[in-house]
Amino acid sequence: MTISEDKYEAVIGLEVHAQLSTITKIFCGCSARFGAEPNSQTCPVCLGMPGVLPVLNEKAVEFAIKMGLATNCTISEHNVFARKNYFYPDLPKGYQISQFEHPICKNGRVEVETDGEKHTIRINRIHLEEDAGKSVHDEDFVDAGSSLVDLNRCGTPLIEIVTEPDLRTPQQAHAYLSLIRQLVRYLRICDGNMEQGSLRCDANVSVRRKGETELGTKTELKNMNSLRNVENALTYEIQRQVSLLESGRTVEQATLLWDPSSGTAQIMRVKEEAHDYRYFPDPDLVRLEIAEDYVRQLKKMLPELPAVRRQRFMDQYGLPEYDAEILTSSRELADYYEQTVKIINDAKLVSNWVLGDVLRVLNDKKIEIKEFPISEIRFAELLKLIREGKISSSAAKKVFDVLLTSDKSADVIVKEMGLIQVSDDSAIESMVKEVLAEYPDEVNAYKNGKTGLIGFFVGQVMRKSAGKANPKIVNSILLRLLSP
Ligand code: ADP
Ligand code: ZN
Ligand code: MG
């Protein structure tokens, strides 16, 4: 951090759009599935033909409320849908149905941690709205100078989650966004995929001198389709604003587009004429009244959320925070872990293997735990062989690799590969005696105080057993036979 940056602090507020994973759209029966043939999932309602009536999808309401509950919001009893009027080619109605004065969730808060410090981020509101279509300018599909419109996305349900300007660093923004993604995935209300645009983030940022309480002029960053991009764009923009102030100039209110390839942001438009969306209540939709009892039902349906589950993993399984954090990073990974522990009841052994070899395979193959080829039962069978001393941990790694591509059980693989560990005391003792007879000089040196030679003897016995002797037993027999 430079000295000039040290004099300033950044103020950041995030607006996150999450596409709800309902089967159908928010006001019609069209499929909301991603990736279909362009314009194949439309109807008169989502195309905004005259005389049609939108009907609200209850699932979208349920999903929005769940997110509100997970972020400690108040759920509004009275809800009104409003028309937000603007013209754009991918918005055939000429307005977007959204919520203005009466969002479904208000006044929430979440906690994020960066560098071991906790920060409370207030949520101003979460509102429900419909998405617009997509304009395609891609030169692979479109002749120069023209664009195409795909209206499949028109009417897809979104929630927009708006924070108060409570974030202070790009790292906090990264942590917040990562938490929001984790929450929507735990709740199974959105796939959280930023590359495909199911989760999109606009970042508002201003800077001010430290100690100042007034907010500075903000700019808005768009087009960041990964957590890293959001963090990088904010770092870039904060530096740009600080440089402007340091050179005696002022920050102009603007919208900027982040360009990840150059690592810079281009100003898209300056100080928009104050938005005039002419919001008014949509006369086609009735007021939405949300009963307290309905909210209570949904609250009961919520899964155990990440922070609670992480703490429980520490309390119940005696795991270090580091393990608990990674194991609960996704609901599915946490489930996989708990299922396995339920079978073999050795929390730390399972954790070590999940954090080590399982995650390595997921990363290498770029797959999710639900696509991981070793079921909890087969995984537990392998870990049981280790715990019972039947195979060494290096043998276990070999078996693990085979399990990835074979349907055979760990037991069968161990037998076929001849990996059973020798734990028979008398067999090991006779190998130990052979080794000691072969190295009389080393035995003498050991007895004269060169006890570091123990490792040498263990190594020799292991070699004699072709790696199959149980090293713990080898060690204890050696100590006994070498003791004066
Ligand atoms: P707009 O009218 O431009 O949409 P809002 O008041 O609705 O602005 O705020 C949009 C987002 O910008 C919110 O997340 C809010 O916390 C954040 N925000 C508002 N003012 C500032 C500021 N001066 N600096 C940084 N963020 C801000
Ligand atoms: Zn439709
Ligand atoms: Mg706003």
Side-chain angles (χ1 to χ4, degrees):
M1 180 165 290
T2 63
I3 299 163
S4 64
E5 266 181 82
D6 232 10
K7 290 196 296 201
Y8 295 89
E9 75 172 351
V11 174
I12 300 164
L14 298 182
E15 295 167 291
V16 175
H17 283 95
Q19 201 174 87
L20 300 177
S21 39
T22 54
I23 295 168
T24 56
K25 295 184 180 181
I26 185 167
F27 297 118
C28 65
C30 291
S31 167
R33 198 169 58 83
F34 178 85
E37 193 58 22
N39 298 307
S40 63
Q41 298 176 162
T42 59
C43 75
V45 174
C46 53
L47 294 179
M49 302 291 192
V52 297
L53 274 183
V55 178
L56 180 60
N57 180 344
E58 185 182 339
K59 260 301 181 227
V61 174
E62 176 190 317
F63 285 4
I65 294 175
K66 281 183 172 167
M67 189 58 180
L69 292 171
T71 52
N72 308 293
C73 286
T74 310
I75 310 303
S76 307
E77 194 184 340
H78 307 294
N79 283 266
V80 176
F81 286 93
R83 290 187 181 180
K84 178 179 181 180
N85 298 279
Y86 64 97
F87 173 77
Y88 206 73
D90 60 20
L91 186 73
K93 289 206 294 287
Y95 62 85
Q96 182 188 11
I97 304 178
S98 181
Q99 293 187 302
F100 185 50
E101 283 160 340
H102 303 285
I104 187 160
C105 315
K106 285 184 283 208
N107 303 329
R109 109 198 83 76
V110 294
E111 206 167 71
V112 299
E113 201 176 312
T114 50
D115 296 327
E117 231 179 279
K118 290 193 162 79
H119 310 274
T120 298
I121 312 302
R122 289 169 300 156
I123 308 278
N124 171 285
R125 61 191 272 146
I126 300 176
H127 63 255
L128 261 173
E129 62 186 20
E130 60 178 347
D131 208 347
K134 224 185 227 165
S135 300
V136 183
H137 313 291
D138 192 324
E139 280 160 28
D140 289 347
F141 300 104
V142 188
D143 296 338
S146 60
S147 292
L148 295 176
V149 178
D150 176 7
L151 297 174
N152 281 349
R153 210 177 62 181
C154 256
T156 301
L158 298 177
I159 48 174
E160 180 175 347
I161 309 155
V162 184
T163 73
E164 296 293 345
D166 286 350
L167 299 141
R168 293 290 172 269
T169 63
Q171 292 70 36
Q172 283 175 28
H174 184 291
Y176 167 82
L177 203 51
S178 159
L179 173 65
I180 293 296
R181 186 176 64 177
Q182 187 186 33
L183 284 175
V184 297
R185 286 179 172 165
Y186 258 76
L187 296 170
R188 302 202 169 129
I189 62 169
C190 164
D191 65 27
N193 188 326
M194 291 188 74
E195 278 91 61
Q196 288 182 1
S198 324
L199 196 70
R200 317 196 274 270
C201 174
D202 297 336
N204 300 270
V205 58
S206 60
V207 298
R208 63 184 174 195
R209 284 190 171 264
K210 284 219 170 111
E212 180 69 66
T213 51
E214 301 262 297
L215 293 176
T217 303
K218 73 172 159 80
T219 59
E220 184 171 356
L221 288 159
K222 286 181 181 288
N223 198 38
M224 302 156 298
N225 64 356
S226 71
L227 294 177
R228 181 119 329 261
N229 277 338
V230 171
E231 188 174 336
N232 291 343
L234 282 166
T235 304
Y236 168 88
E237 177 58 10
I238 291 165
Q239 184 62 57
R240 188 186 74 90
Q241 292 188 14
V242 167
S243 306
L244 281 172
L245 297 187
E246 277 294 279
S247 62
R249 285 174 286 174
T250 53
V251 174
E252 208 174 357
Q253 191 181 323
T255 303
L256 290 89
L257 274 192
W258 175 247
D259 174 13
S261 60
S262 67
T264 61
Q266 257 64 53
I267 295 186
M268 185 168 77
R269 49 176 186 260
V270 188
K271 192 165 184 96
E272 295 157 71
E273 16 358 303
H275 299 297
D276 184 8
Y277 291 124
R278 290 169 295 127
Y279 280 100
F280 64 88
D282 191 311
D284 289 338
L285 285 156
V286 293
R287 272 165 79 117
L288 168 67
E289 305 286 340
I290 297 174
E292 239 176 84
D293 201 47
Y294 179 69
V295 176
R296 241 193 316 273
Q297 296 294 329
L298 291 183
K299 196 163 195 169
K300 274 196 222 136
M301 282 166 58
L302 289 186
E304 188 180 19
L305 295 175
V308 175
R309 199 167 191 184
R310 179 172 62 233
Q311 187 59 49
R312 179 171 65 77
F313 272 34
M314 292 161 67
D315 298 342
Q316 179 179 343
Y317 301 120
L319 292 175
E321 186 169 7
Y322 175 83
D323 293 39
E325 170 97 34
I326 298 177
L327 292 172
T328 58
S329 59
S330 86
R331 187 171 160 189
E332 291 74 18
L333 188 67
D335 287 346
Y336 184 84
Y337 171 78
E338 292 211 270
Q339 282 303 325
T340 309
V341 173
K342 212 178 256 171
I343 307 168
I344 102 144
N345 196 22
D346 188 331
K348 188 58 186 159
L349 178 67
V350 179
S351 176
N352 289 345
W353 274 78
V354 171
L355 263 51
D357 293 78
V358 174
L359 285 185
R360 176 179 51 78
V361 171
L362 299 188
N363 287 334
D364 286 354
K365 302 197 170 183
K366 299 200 170 20
I367 55 171
E368 304 279 331
I369 187 73
K370 61 174 184 281
E371 301 155 285
F372 185 62
I374 308 176
S375 70
E376 291 92 331
I377 293 177
R378 298 173 73 231
F379 185 45
E381 282 167 358
L382 168 66
L383 300 186
K384 210 160 152 216
L385 293 175
I386 304 170
R387 205 184 44 180
E388 290 171 352
K390 293 206 174 120
I391 53 174
S392 66
S393 49
S394 60
K397 303 232 185 245
K398 290 184 194 148
V399 179
F400 179 82
D401 286 342
V402 178
L403 281 173
L404 289 171
T405 53
S406 148
D407 289 336
K408 291 174 186 161
S409 72
D411 270 319
V412 170
I413 296 167
V414 164
K415 280 188 197 115
E416 284 182 1
M417 295 177 74
L419 293 170
I420 293 260
Q421 180 163 267
V422 179
S423 294
D424 170 0
D425 284 14
S426 60
I428 293 177
E429 181 158 339
S430 61
M431 286 190 275
V432 170
K433 281 179 174 158
E434 283 173 37
V435 166
L436 296 182
E438 283 164 30
Y439 295 98
D441 294 347
E442 283 78 2
V443 170
N444 270 332
Y446 179 93
K447 288 186 171 164
N448 288 324
K450 235 179 144 189
T451 52
L453 281 168
I454 190 78
F456 167 78
F457 294 125
V458 172
Q460 291 306 317
V461 178
M462 291 308 289
R463 220 166 95 181
K464 203 172 266 296
S465 75
K468 289 183 207 161
N470 182 329
K472 264 194 213 145
I473 299 177
V474 172
N475 207 56
S476 75
I477 291 178
L478 269 169
L479 288 175
R480 175 161 55 79
L481 295 185
L482 286 168
S483 70

